[in-house]
Amino acid sequence: MATAAASLRPLTAAAARSQSSTSFFSRRFALLHLASAVPQAQLFGIKPLQLKRMAAEEVLVRSTGNIAQTSTTISQENALEWAKKDNRRLLHVVYRVGDLDKTIKFYTECLGMKLLRKRDIPEERYTNAFLGYGPEDSHFVVELTYNYGVEKYDIGAGFGHFGVAVEDVAKTVDLIKAKGGKVTREPGPVKGGKSIIAFIEDPDGYKFELLERDPTPEPLCQVMLRVGDLDRSIEFYKKAFGMDLLRKRDNPEYKYTIAMMGYGPEDKSAVLELTYNYGVKEYDKGNAYAQIAIGTDDVYKTAEAIKLYGGKITREPGPLPGISTKITACLDPDGWKTVFVDNIDFAKELE
């Protein structure tokens, strides 16, 4: 499941510009990409920012230091209690693709996903598609982003793979081969275990691990990210995000350790797989993978808990300009981005 890290590579200017136009999650969230944003002084008491479309996310990150804190400070004990009792689940994972129609065709025909919705934002020159194995209000789904004219992205060495549970790995691999898909690891037992797996790549080079399992309510079951300090990451995701450590496995023969983190058992819910490769402290994240979105009952308390346990808030909690949906965004100790979305507001977005 783990591969050697590539050498660190800085983003080119073109890559940085293309990275910033990814949407967060729903149609009205496109406001984050507007060249002229709604004056944020009305919401946060700061001077209006002149936002350039292709640098919207970066400007939002830089501006957070001036945004007034709107939530009440809480203790570590209260923050830990809140993170554990909050109603959280993984909503969707966001990443960029170079040919949206080709990717949709691959996911629906080879992986059995359904196209849940698609929207085009021509004034901002991007299109989104949401795909998964069930409705967004109850399933973890993928949000694909196509930026007009951008055909290729750098996936980097930090992102690992997505996991999809299937009843028959060999049969699924045969189907993918018949459709012209790329198989990078033939079906067989996982190294050091008995579980049957295979690895494939989608048209953009994103890896998918196929895991042979009994029928599950959440076939899109994993997102694997590489981290530089596994124990630090486990503590962060337990305390700041309220996740449980579902299992941890060391593989000294292959020099890596994994930890499964999530809000429910692996066979019934989507989980985060953190991988530590011996001796590798930092990874190039590229500009293809964007973030995971997680639901919460209170973005203000969530942001406080994240701050207390070492996370970096890149978007202070509050409503998005022009709409009522409340979010907060943060980076984990390795720089992986997560966006927390108010559960009630998210449900309204899907109406």
Short mmCIF file of all heavy atoms in Angstrom, two decimals, residues 309-332:
data_model
loop_
_atom_site.label_atom_id
_atom_site.label_comp_id
_atom_site.label_asym_id
_atom_site.label_seq_id
_atom_site.Cartn_x
_atom_site.Cartn_y
_atom_site.Cartn_z
N TYR A 309 -5.51 21.58 19.44
CA TYR A 309 -4.72 20.36 19.26
C TYR A 309 -3.77 20.44 18.07
O TYR A 309 -3.39 19.42 17.50
CB TYR A 309 -5.65 19.16 19.15
CG TYR A 309 -6.32 18.85 20.47
CD1 TYR A 309 -7.67 19.11 20.66
CD2 TYR A 309 -5.58 18.37 21.54
CE1 TYR A 309 -8.28 18.86 21.89
CE2 TYR A 309 -6.18 18.12 22.77
CZ TYR A 309 -7.52 18.36 22.94
OH TYR A 309 -8.11 18.12 24.16
N GLY A 310 -3.37 21.66 17.71
CA GLY A 310 -2.26 21.83 16.78
C GLY A 310 -2.61 22.00 15.32
O GLY A 310 -1.71 22.08 14.48
N GLY A 311 -3.89 22.07 14.99
CA GLY A 311 -4.27 22.30 13.61
C GLY A 311 -4.19 23.77 13.23
O GLY A 311 -4.27 24.65 14.09
N LYS A 312 -4.03 24.05 11.96
CA LYS A 312 -3.96 25.42 11.48
C LYS A 312 -5.27 25.77 10.77
O LYS A 312 -5.64 25.15 9.77
CB LYS A 312 -2.79 25.59 10.51
CG LYS A 312 -2.66 27.00 9.94
CD LYS A 312 -1.49 27.09 8.96
CE LYS A 312 -1.38 28.49 8.38
NZ LYS A 312 -0.26 28.59 7.40
N ILE A 313 -5.98 26.75 11.29
CA ILE A 313 -7.22 27.20 10.67
C ILE A 313 -6.89 28.09 9.47
O ILE A 313 -6.22 29.11 9.61
CB ILE A 313 -8.12 27.96 11.66
CG1 ILE A 313 -8.51 27.05 12.83
CG2 ILE A 313 -9.37 28.49 10.96
CD1 ILE A 313 -9.33 25.84 12.43
N THR A 314 -7.32 27.70 8.30
CA THR A 314 -7.07 28.48 7.09
C THR A 314 -8.29 29.26 6.65
O THR A 314 -8.20 30.12 5.79
CB THR A 314 -6.62 27.57 5.93
OG1 THR A 314 -7.61 26.58 5.68
CG2 THR A 314 -5.29 26.90 6.27
N ARG A 315 -9.44 28.95 7.23
CA ARG A 315 -10.66 29.70 6.97
C ARG A 315 -11.46 29.70 8.26
O ARG A 315 -11.95 28.67 8.71
CB ARG A 315 -11.45 29.04 5.83
CG ARG A 315 -12.35 29.97 5.04
CD ARG A 315 -13.64 30.29 5.74
NE ARG A 315 -14.53 31.08 4.87
CZ ARG A 315 -15.67 31.61 5.28
NH1 ARG A 315 -16.05 31.45 6.55
NH2 ARG A 315 -16.40 32.30 4.46
N GLU A 316 -11.53 30.87 8.91
CA GLU A 316 -12.21 30.96 10.19
C GLU A 316 -13.68 30.56 10.04
O GLU A 316 -14.29 30.74 8.99
CB GLU A 316 -12.12 32.39 10.75
CG GLU A 316 -10.73 32.79 11.18
CD GLU A 316 -10.29 32.10 12.47
OE1 GLU A 316 -11.16 31.56 13.19
OE2 GLU A 316 -9.08 32.12 12.76
N PRO A 317 -14.28 29.99 11.11
CA PRO A 317 -15.66 29.52 11.02
C PRO A 317 -16.65 30.66 10.79
O PRO A 317 -16.49 31.75 11.33
CB PRO A 317 -15.89 28.86 12.37
CG PRO A 317 -14.91 29.51 13.29
CD PRO A 317 -13.70 29.78 12.45
N GLY A 318 -17.64 30.37 9.98
CA GLY A 318 -18.66 31.36 9.69
C GLY A 318 -19.33 31.08 8.37
O GLY A 318 -18.93 30.18 7.63
N PRO A 319 -20.36 31.86 8.04
CA PRO A 319 -21.09 31.65 6.78
C PRO A 319 -20.26 32.10 5.58
O PRO A 319 -19.49 33.05 5.66
CB PRO A 319 -22.34 32.52 6.95
CG PRO A 319 -21.91 33.60 7.89
CD PRO A 319 -20.95 32.95 8.85
N LEU A 320 -20.42 31.38 4.49
CA LEU A 320 -19.77 31.79 3.26
C LEU A 320 -20.39 33.10 2.78
O LEU A 320 -21.59 33.33 2.95
CB LEU A 320 -19.95 30.72 2.19
CG LEU A 320 -19.14 29.44 2.40
CD1 LEU A 320 -19.59 28.36 1.43
CD2 LEU A 320 -17.66 29.72 2.21
N PRO A 321 -19.59 33.98 2.19
CA PRO A 321 -20.12 35.26 1.70
C PRO A 321 -21.32 35.07 0.78
O PRO A 321 -21.25 34.32 -0.19
CB PRO A 321 -18.92 35.86 0.95
CG PRO A 321 -17.73 35.24 1.59
CD PRO A 321 -18.14 33.85 1.93
N GLY A 322 -22.41 35.72 1.13
CA GLY A 322 -23.59 35.71 0.26
C GLY A 322 -24.57 34.60 0.51
O GLY A 322 -25.69 34.63 0.01
N ILE A 323 -24.17 33.57 1.30
CA ILE A 323 -25.09 32.47 1.60
C ILE A 323 -24.97 32.14 3.08
O ILE A 323 -24.11 32.64 3.79
CB ILE A 323 -24.81 31.22 0.75
CG1 ILE A 323 -23.41 30.68 1.01
CG2 ILE A 323 -24.99 31.51 -0.72
CD1 ILE A 323 -23.12 29.38 0.28
N SER A 324 -25.83 31.25 3.57
CA SER A 324 -25.88 30.97 5.00
C SER A 324 -25.06 29.75 5.41
O SER A 324 -24.95 29.46 6.60
CB SER A 324 -27.33 30.76 5.43
OG SER A 324 -27.90 29.65 4.73
N THR A 325 -24.51 29.03 4.47
CA THR A 325 -23.77 27.82 4.81
C THR A 325 -22.50 28.14 5.58
O THR A 325 -21.65 28.89 5.12
CB THR A 325 -23.40 27.03 3.53
OG1 THR A 325 -24.60 26.72 2.82
CG2 THR A 325 -22.67 25.75 3.88
N LYS A 326 -22.39 27.55 6.75
CA LYS A 326 -21.25 27.80 7.63
C LYS A 326 -20.20 26.71 7.44
O LYS A 326 -20.53 25.52 7.43
CB LYS A 326 -21.71 27.85 9.09
CG LYS A 326 -22.64 29.02 9.39
CD LYS A 326 -23.09 29.04 10.82
CE LYS A 326 -24.07 27.90 11.13
NZ LYS A 326 -25.36 28.04 10.39
N ILE A 327 -18.95 27.14 7.33
CA ILE A 327 -17.83 26.20 7.18
C ILE A 327 -16.64 26.70 7.98
O ILE A 327 -16.60 27.85 8.43
CB ILE A 327 -17.41 26.02 5.70
CG1 ILE A 327 -16.67 27.27 5.21
CG2 ILE A 327 -18.58 25.69 4.80
CD1 ILE A 327 -15.91 27.06 3.89
N THR A 328 -15.67 25.82 8.14
CA THR A 328 -14.34 26.21 8.58
C THR A 328 -13.36 25.28 7.89
O THR A 328 -13.71 24.13 7.58
CB THR A 328 -14.17 26.15 10.11
OG1 THR A 328 -12.93 26.75 10.48
CG2 THR A 328 -14.20 24.72 10.63
N ALA A 329 -12.16 25.74 7.59
CA ALA A 329 -11.17 24.93 6.90
C ALA A 329 -9.87 24.92 7.70
O ALA A 329 -9.55 25.89 8.39
CB ALA A 329 -10.90 25.48 5.49
N CYS A 330 -9.15 23.81 7.62
CA CYS A 330 -7.93 23.68 8.41
C CYS A 330 -6.92 22.79 7.71
O CYS A 330 -7.23 22.09 6.74
CB CYS A 330 -8.26 23.11 9.79
SG CYS A 330 -8.79 21.38 9.74
N LEU A 331 -5.69 22.82 8.24
CA LEU A 331 -4.63 21.93 7.80
C LEU A 331 -4.19 21.07 8.98
O LEU A 331 -4.09 21.56 10.11
CB LEU A 331 -3.42 22.72 7.29
CG LEU A 331 -3.64 23.67 6.12
CD1 LEU A 331 -2.34 24.39 5.79
CD2 LEU A 331 -4.18 22.95 4.90
N ASP A 332 -3.93 19.79 8.72
CA ASP A 332 -3.40 18.92 9.77
C ASP A 332 -1.89 19.15 9.89
O ASP A 332 -1.32 19.98 9.17
CB ASP A 332 -3.77 17.46 9.48
CG ASP A 332 -2.91 16.82 8.40
OD1 ASP A 332 -2.05 17.50 7.79
OD2 ASP A 332 -3.09 15.61 8.15
#
